[in-house]
Amino acid sequence: MLTPQRRPEPLTSPAAFAVFTMILTQGPVSRVEIARRTGLSSAAVTKAARPFIDAGYLRELDATERSAPGAGRPASPLTIRSDREFFIGVKITDSELIGVVTDLSAQVQVTAHRALPSPSVQDVVAELAALVADLLASAPEYGDRCHSLGMAISGDVDKAGGLVRYSPFLGWHQVPLAELVAARTGLSVTVENDVKALTVAEQWFGEGIGASSFAVVTVGTGIGCGLVVNDRVVAGAHGVAGEIGHVPVGGDGPPCHCGGAGCVEAIAGTEPILVAARAATGDESLTIERVLAIARAGDPAMREVLARAGHAIGLAMAAMANLFGPERIIVTGDVAGLASYELVEKQITRAFAGQAFGAAADCRVILRPRTFEQWARGAAAVAIQSLFTLQET
């Protein structure tokens, strides 16, 4: 068992940030290869890596290759010591909490679910504290090597201030969630919008590796989008960049919970699809699962409802691609959202291709199912990134 050791100092050196994140996201990798990719000297790479080796975050593997034919001693690749530290991630919905513990490489070690008696702030914070206690108690090493908690929640989140400014599905306004949860758990707490958290996981540990610019589009209860441009997650001046769910594509209606009209989310979100389906059939008992089943059976009314949703999503994706020019778009979402995607893929693709300008239409679109546990993993990835992100002096 590892003995708890000191953490490295905050990353104030661009070289330290470049070296550590390359090893974390793309390792094992030799110092020679790091120097080649980053443009740093071999001495600078060694200097940047040394504090992380001393603190137990990195280790050297056996020598495998020489830097050049006939040159010096073989290179020893550097790799992450994944069990050096663990991280808790929690996805908050309006009815339950989904929690995970991950290692330093964002590999999920254990998962847990906890139902919420209500979406009130008091109840959510109390259940969060209980869930964290359960997760920490699930393995003895977590108590010594788990110091950080990331939380992912839908809505307008001020990550720097740990504030949930507005979460429509929870009915929250101006909730200092990080402060409240830190006081109950004693952990270092980070709060992020759930789509941006999923984007961080894709950037550092998923489909976004190797792409300097990409987008994550989520389909489900809401329609969300996370953006990475020039290797950075785009937050915008007010933290709400990428909200393609509120791009107006439907004229004057239907009304959206944001106060606007014709938003993508007001057409293609789970609840609007249900509303349209019930209106088309007169059956108020319809569930989203039943709507999808009827559509798969070929019902034209249900297929029309879903086709309209797909068209709206495709238009929003094209608008985003025209503005930001991502290398790839990763489409994911909750269970219902992904189940409906197969029924609207043609409409999405057709609308995207018809509206995307020039080479933007060649953007690669990737469908990747993601369970709620993966959204919780995204929250843990934000905690990992927050610990090792470059800080200003």
Side-chain angles (χ1 to χ4, degrees):
M1 179 181 295
L2 287 171
T3 301
Q5 303 175 54
R6 66 176 178 84
R7 289 181 168 188
E9 294 299 317
L11 293 180
T12 56
S13 161
F17 177 74
V19 170
F20 184 78
T21 55
M22 179 174 290
I23 298 167
L24 176 65
T25 61
Q26 303 176 45
V29 60
S30 70
R31 290 179 174 85
V32 172
E33 183 62 15
I34 295 170
R36 185 187 71 80
R37 295 188 200 177
T38 62
L40 296 170
S41 68
S42 295
V45 171
T46 297
K47 180 179 179 181
R50 176 51 56 189
F52 294 101
I53 295 172
D54 292 344
Y57 287 91
L58 300 178
R59 65 187 179 92
E60 293 181 298
L61 299 177
D62 293 336
T64 58
E65 61 182 355
R66 296 182 184 275
S67 56
R73 64 184 180 86
S76 297
L78 294 170
T79 191
I80 292 295
R81 197 171 185 176
S82 295
D83 62 350
R84 169 60 180 85
E85 188 153 351
F86 296 96
F87 300 80
I88 293 176
V90 178
K91 160 68 173 171
I92 303 172
T93 76
D94 61 349
S95 60
E96 72 169 337
L97 305 174
I98 302 94
V100 299
V101 176
T102 77
D103 63 16
L104 186 53
S105 298
Q107 296 302 304
V108 175
Q109 308 296 302
V110 63
T111 66
H113 291 239
R114 198 172 188 92
L116 290 172
S118 83
S120 73
V121 175
Q122 181 178 356
D123 282 344
V124 171
V125 170
E127 295 301 324
L128 271 165
L131 177 65
V132 167
D134 289 345
L135 289 169
L136 289 174
S138 62
E141 60 267 31
Y142 298 160
D144 292 333
R145 281 179 271 152
C146 185
H147 311 285
S148 302
L149 164 65
M151 294 182 292
I153 186 170
S154 65
D156 179 0
V157 176
D158 174 7
K159 178 186 173 187
L163 179 70
V164 179
R165 288 186 286 232
Y166 172 51
S167 183
F169 304 115
L170 288 162
W172 288 5
H173 295 268
Q174 302 300 319
V175 176
L177 188 60
E179 178 183 343
L180 294 173
V181 175
R184 292 291 296 270
T185 64
L187 299 177
S188 175
V189 177
T190 305
V191 185
E192 180 59 287
N193 167 270
D194 54 356
V195 178
K196 288 186 174 64
L198 199 60
T199 303
V200 169
E202 295 292 352
Q203 180 189 24
W204 278 33
F205 306 106
E207 294 288 348
I209 293 176
S212 63
S213 298
F214 70 93
V216 175
V217 173
T218 59
V219 179
T221 303
I223 309 298
C225 180
L227 296 170
V228 171
V229 177
N230 294 330
D231 298 312
R232 291 184 177 273
V233 176
V234 177
H238 305 289
V240 294
E243 287 288 348
I244 67 169
H246 300 287
V247 171
V249 297
D252 295 331
C256 182
H257 64 79
C258 72
C263 295
V264 178
E265 195 164 289
I267 298 170
T270 301
E271 187 60 29
I273 288 175
L274 268 177
V275 169
R278 289 167 179 169
T281 62
D283 183 357
E284 292 298 318
S285 68
L286 277 179
T287 63
I288 190 64
E289 291 77 16
R290 183 63 180 151
V291 169
L292 299 176
I294 295 172
R296 285 196 190 90
D299 182 87
M302 293 303 95
R303 284 185 171 271
E304 177 58 30
V305 168
L306 293 173
R308 186 184 182 206
H311 182 74
I313 294 168
L315 291 180
M317 285 171 53
M320 177 269 295
N322 289 341
L323 285 169
F324 295 99
E327 298 174 40
R328 62 194 72 159
I329 300 174
I330 304 157
V331 182
T332 186
D334 61 28
V335 175
L338 289 173
S340 66
Y341 184 86
E342 67 186 67
L343 296 171
V344 298
E345 183 174 5
K346 288 183 180 179
Q347 286 79 15
I348 291 176
T349 302
R350 187 180 300 121
F352 177 77
Q355 196 70 26
F357 176 75
D362 297 328
C363 175
R364 182 184 174 202
V365 178
I366 305 167
L367 174 62
R368 284 292 178 267
R370 292 288 184 261
T371 63
F372 271 138
E373 285 79 10
Q374 291 300 308
W375 290 71
R377 175 178 179 260
V382 170
I384 296 170
Q385 189 184 60
S386 296
L387 181 59
F388 294 107
T389 291
L390 182 65
Q391 300 180 23
E392 300 293 336
T393 54

